[in-house]
Amino acid sequence: MQTNKNIESIIGDPKKAINRLAYPTILSMLLMFANNLIDSMWVSGLGSEPLAALGFMSPLYLVIIGFGVGIGAGANSLISRLIGAKQYEESNNAAIHSIIIASIVSILILLIGIFFLKDLLILFGAGEVIDYAMDYGIIIFLTSYIILFPAVVSSLFRAEGEIKRATVPLVFNAILNMIMDPIFIYYFNWGIKGAAIATVLSTFVNLAMMLYWYLIKRDTFIKLSLKYYHRKLEIYKEILLVSLPASCEEVIYSIVAICFNYLIMITAGTLEVAVFTVVWRFVSIGFLPCIAIGVSTITVSGIAYGARNFENFKTTINYSTFISFLITLIICTIFFVFAYPISEYFNFINGNPQMITRTAEVLRIMVFYNLFIPFGATAAYVYQGVGAGFKSLALTILRELVLSVFFAYLLGIVFKMGIFGVYLGAIIGMILGCFIGFSFIKIYERKFKKVCENKS
């Protein structure tokens, strides 16, 4: 196979490669999260209980997305390393292996939703709003294939540097959902079910566009054709070594949200959970640069690792950390300064003054939760890029679950600081975890330098 201009663009200067891959991804992700915010905004017009139900269901929805992102990360990592090592034919085989894994996982998620969804929601504390949560959740789980697959296919485009085709369908997805939400929720009077249906239909359009390029037009560098498929357990192993930990990381993020919901529920009640549901969406927006640049880092660091190019590897770590921190700082500053008007606009449908004020207060606190995430996120994504998925998972567990949730519980419950203690503890734990993670990846960088020197 011959390389094309997309492949050439991601095997040269790491800074240019990250910029080329990351900025369109940030734009598309901003639209997607704006879409999620608008989803919550329209649901908030139904009342605090449907909004709280959406908050309880959101972690499970993110778990499904997370498995897609995780499998995609595994595919991206392996394909990037194969491209860096100039094993182009094998990259097609790896792509098909990732599709098979995604198909199996989507079937398992469907079965879990059919048999255990209600029990899971009750376990997570949604008992008071279980009917609303089930109305939304059952639709999402029954269409888990549609929800999960776009992240996997999108990762294949990113691995070959085809960023336009990875992002344009996401833009259409977001715009369609924004249009359909008010129609399905209010015009058809489907309530929270309408929000779920709009999500599924818009995501299906996203998936259909990407599959058209791979299966019908067939002008991509990576070929999804069975003639390239040769079953290799080693390929499954290489993909799963990254995708399983990466998927678990997404599960960890959802568990963290569930833990925060629980701590907030017992310290402040249902209204605060509804407030936190809104604020958590803005926290997610602040995390977007880390995700977009991190996904790009998987590709660029994987190529540098496969080619045993230390200088490119080092530049990837330093540049991705710097640029993601800079963008995160700008976003957090905007949220802090304009917290009240943002909250007022978001809650304009229900017009609850208490909720508007409280949303602004919590948003100004939680921007500090985001601020230093770029340091920890860079470490996690670089580990995924080199195929060390379980090291990435270990750092995520330490940062998110052990330190962040532990300190939230310690200050909020043990030290009886209430809801403020929950938020403060989460911030302290996050900052500590991020700098521990960044220290580890710099140690790994020095070890990789010795490997490259020994090769030369």
Side-chain angles (χ1 to χ4, degrees), residues 249 253 287 369 372-373 375-377 379-380 392 394-405 426 429-435 437:
E249 288 181 25
Y253 297 142
F287 188 44
Y369 182 87
F372 296 100
I373 286 180
F375 294 90
S392 173
L395 291 180
T396 300
I397 292 174
L398 176 68
R399 182 180 71 243
E400 301 278 350
L401 197 55
V402 175
L403 294 175
S404 191
V405 173
M430 176 58 71
I431 293 173
L432 287 174
C434 286
F435 283 109

Side-chain angles (χ1 to χ4, degrees), residues 224-366:
L224 292 182
S225 173
L226 288 178
K227 72 178 183 180
Y228 294 105
Y229 176 66
H230 307 286
R231 185 172 66 88
K232 290 186 178 181
L233 295 180
E234 185 64 24
I235 290 181
Y236 283 121
K237 177 184 174 183
E238 285 293 324
I239 293 174
L240 291 173
L241 280 174
V242 175
S243 64
L244 281 177
S247 297
C248 288
E249 288 181 25
E250 300 298 327
V251 174
I252 293 298
Y253 297 142
S254 297
I255 292 174
V256 168
I258 291 166
C259 291
F260 285 159
N261 279 337
Y262 177 76
L263 291 173
I264 291 167
M265 187 74 179
I266 63 177
T267 55
T270 303
L271 180 63
E272 188 74 13
V273 172
V275 167
F276 183 72
T277 298
V278 175
V279 171
W280 194 249
R281 299 297 175 96
F282 286 104
V283 169
S284 299
I285 287 179
F287 188 44
L288 280 180
C290 300
I291 298 175
I293 296 171
V295 169
S296 306
T297 300
I298 293 175
T299 301
V300 180
S301 65
I303 288 173
Y305 182 83
R308 295 297 187 265
N309 188 326
F310 170 73
E311 288 302 324
N312 281 7
F313 187 76
K314 178 182 177 181
T315 301
T316 300
I317 294 174
N318 294 338
Y319 184 72
S320 61
T321 304
F322 168 75
I323 200 68
S324 58
F325 176 72
L326 180 63
I327 298 173
T328 301
L329 178 62
I330 293 170
I331 293 174
C332 288
T333 301
I334 292 171
F335 284 168
F336 187 88
V337 174
F338 300 103
Y340 189 87
I342 289 172
S343 302
E344 188 175 34
Y345 177 78
F346 183 85
N347 289 287
F348 82 93
I349 294 178
N350 63 43
N352 185 333
Q354 182 182 0
M355 190 166 179
I356 292 172
T357 301
R358 186 58 186 158
T359 300
E361 292 172 350
V362 176
L363 180 58
R364 279 183 168 165
I365 295 172
M366 291 301 288

